[in-house]
Amino acid sequence: MSTVYLLELILFVSLVSSTASFALFPSRILHQSKIVPSRRATSDLAMSDRDLPSSEELDAALKVAIEASKAAGDIIVGNAEGVEVEKTKANSRDLLTIIDPLCEKFLGEEEVPPGKEASAEALDAILVKSPDWLWIVDPIDGTTNFVHGMPLCMPSIAVAYKGTVVVGVIYDPHRDEAFTAVKGQGAYLNGTPIKVGEQDVIGDAIVAMGSPPGTESMAMSLLGVQALMPKVRTIRMIGSAAIMLAWVACGRLTCYWEYDLSSWDIAAGAILITEAGGKFTDLNGDPYNLRVRKMIASNGKVHDAVLEELHGAGVV
């Protein structure tokens, strides 16, 4: 892939994503990457193999996602000592740094007003157009970690085709770990196949969760931690949805749940985990789709047990 082509794609993603972290391939770049748009568009997430893009199309999307992730990762590592907060989003604990816009030049992160309603509306505004190709991007997941110089922040990129996530890349620039997945082809860490953990009882599970800024999400998280702490091996709050999802996919964590996240937080992780043999649902146990905000991801073996504890605690 030429440098000129990559820069064209990066610039396009930055300029056209006026709502959320979504962008479509322009027809000119589609042609250059040999991705031909279909006339049909659907949001049906139960995509069969025959409905998948060609292997050439998937390879092209994966390559761009990896290269763009690493470009953003270079910016993150170059500012690893921490940065000043430019402004806040939903509240004083939901941070936007001066580096976010720099990474947006590579990836095109959201220009969405704060709050879950705004991000949900931004997603719906895109999906109602029934695009064939959709880029779903978070240039710095784990912004608070980044601001304070903690090496637990990274870009997350997913590519959806007709409403189904078909490519996911989470790149940890601090450890040079590229977690990648293509629908139907498995999940990988730096090119080596990965799979979820083998823990089959909740008492052996290492469960991750968040420390959310929203009042409702915070209350539900407190209910969840009180219910789960006596039941599981331990609980971890790492501060980056991307890395917690990637670590479930490779078995470092057994389960990760959150009460409210945006699509750009979880889309790449969703395909990583399912391709690694795990399970990803909403908190009702229903299958993942791009509109899911209340989520749980696991190795599959402890999924129902963790959900049972959460439901018993009133997490709904």
Side-chain angles (χ1 to χ4, degrees):
M1 180 178 297
S2 71
T3 302
V4 172
Y5 165 61
L6 179 59
L7 290 176
E8 285 177 338
L9 178 60
I10 288 168
L11 181 60
F12 171 78
V13 172
S14 176
L15 292 178
V16 306
S17 59
S18 59
T19 58
S21 25
F22 306 98
L24 308 180
F25 280 116
S27 58
R28 180 165 61 89
I29 293 180
L30 280 167
H31 174 73
Q32 288 181 348
S33 61
K34 298 181 181 179
I35 299 177
V36 181
S38 168
R39 293 294 181 185
R40 295 183 300 110
T42 177
S43 59
D44 180 11
L45 296 171
M47 177 178 282
S48 66
D49 290 344
R50 68 176 179 273
D51 294 324
L52 284 171
S54 69
S55 59
E56 290 82 6
E57 292 171 328
L58 292 171
D59 289 346
L62 177 64
K63 185 173 182 181
V64 170
I66 291 173
E67 293 187 20
S69 293
K70 291 189 175 183
D74 288 343
I75 295 175
I76 291 171
V77 171
N79 293 271
E81 71 281 0
V83 296
E84 293 297 319
V85 176
E86 186 174 57
K87 60 181 180 178
T88 60
K89 292 181 281 187
N91 56 51
S92 63
R93 289 176 291 121
D94 197 5
L95 308 180
L96 181 70
T97 74
I98 196 169
I99 302 300
D100 286 270
L102 295 179
C103 290
E104 285 169 26
K105 293 179 181 179
F106 290 91
L107 300 174
E109 210 248 348
E110 73 273 12
E111 294 289 344
V112 180
K116 63 182 181 181
E117 292 82 5
S119 58
E121 289 172 4
L123 173 60
D124 285 339
I126 293 293
L127 293 181
V128 75
K129 299 175 184 178
S130 298
D132 279 356
W133 292 94
L134 197 60
W135 287 80
I136 307 166
V137 177
D138 191 347
I140 307 177
D141 185 83
T143 307
T144 299
N145 290 345
F146 178 62
V147 166
H148 293 277
M150 301 181 203
L152 294 165
C153 47
M154 63 211 61
S156 175
I157 301 179
V159 184
Y161 180 72
K162 297 183 179 180
T164 295
V165 178
V166 294
V167 171
V169 175
I170 294 174
Y171 176 60
D172 180 352
H174 307 284
R175 282 158 282 275
D176 192 25
E177 292 186 334
F179 298 86
T180 63
V182 174
K183 188 171 177 62
Q185 298 183 23
Y188 297 84
L189 169 53
N190 291 342
T192 299
I194 56 175
K195 64 178 183 177
V196 294
E198 297 293 337
Q199 298 82 13
D200 57 4
V201 295
I202 191 171
D204 292 334
I206 301 176
V207 176
M209 54 184 291
S211 175
T215 302
E216 181 184 14
S217 299
M218 185 191 309
M220 291 297 173
S221 295
L222 291 173
L223 290 176
V225 73
Q226 288 179 321
L228 290 172
M229 186 71 81
K231 302 286 186 177
V232 303
R233 173 162 292 168
T234 189
I235 288 178
R236 293 289 181 262
M237 296 181 183
I238 299 173
S240 163
I243 199 166
M244 287 186 276
L245 290 166
W247 285 6
V248 171
C250 71
R252 296 173 187 170
L253 295 170
T254 315
C255 179
Y256 166 50
W257 76 279
E258 287 265 12
Y259 189 75
D260 186 57
L261 289 174
S262 295
S263 54
W264 49 80
D265 295 314
I266 59 179
I271 189 171
L272 276 169
I273 287 166
T274 54
E275 288 295 321
K279 188 172 183 178
F280 198 113
T281 71
D282 66 15
L283 289 181
N284 291 322
D286 295 324
Y288 167 78
N289 64 67
L290 287 175
R291 289 184 171 90
V292 164
R293 300 184 65 85
K294 302 175 183 180
M295 53 72 57
I296 178 170
S298 77
N299 66 352
K301 297 181 179 181
V302 302
H303 202 90
D304 292 343
V306 174
L307 273 179
E308 182 178 353
E309 294 299 329
L310 291 175
H311 292 167
V315 177
V316 294

